[in-house]
């Protein structure tokens, strides 16, 4: 089981999708509380790794404003406003 948190600055998180195959397919995660603005939202999704080794687990959130995190962030010289899908590195042992 994967457990994590997502946040949006534009509204409450109402959906989180997670990929366990590098972004080819996506599964909807279970949210653990009702959506609330300006808070982290806990979520989980079942996952049983197939093989040991390194992998990446991308997760993307959608908020009440209808915004879904894009695959890549728009460049910002100060590094602010990062809103892209995060590809979490994981090593399966």
């Amino acid at each position: 089981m994967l457990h994590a948190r997502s946040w949006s600055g534009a509204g409450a998180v109402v959906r989180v999708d997670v990929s366990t195959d590098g972004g080819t397919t996506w599964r909807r995660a279970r949210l653990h509380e009702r959506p609330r603005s300006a808070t982290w939202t806990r979520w989980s999704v079942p996952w049983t790794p197939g093989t040991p080794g390194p992998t990446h687990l991308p997760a993307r959130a959608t908020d009440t404003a209808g915004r879904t995190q894009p695959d890549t962030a728009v460049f910002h010289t100060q590094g602010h406003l990062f809103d892209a899908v995060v590809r979490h590195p994981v090593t399966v042992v």
Side-chain angles (χ1 to χ4, degrees), residues 48-85:
T48 303
T51 58
T55 190
H56 286 83
L57 301 173
R60 64 182 176 205
T62 301
D63 62 28
T64 52
R67 294 173 27 145
T68 299
Q69 290 174 289
D71 286 334
T72 58
V74 175
F75 178 75
H76 188 276
T77 58
Q78 302 300 312
H80 302 297
L81 306 174
F82 180 84
D83 66 349
V85 170

Side-chain angles (χ1 to χ4, degrees), residues 25-46:
T25 60
W26 294 85
R27 294 187 291 157
R28 192 172 193 162
R30 176 182 169 265
L31 303 183
H32 291 275
E33 52 255 334
R34 71 176 207 279
R36 294 181 302 164
S37 294
T39 63
W40 288 90
T41 301
R42 295 178 306 126
W43 56 263
S44 64
V45 65

Side-chain angles (χ1 to χ4, degrees), residues 47 51-56 88-93:
W47 180 51
T51 58
T55 190
H56 286 83
H88 302 282
V90 174
T91 300
V92 177
V93 292

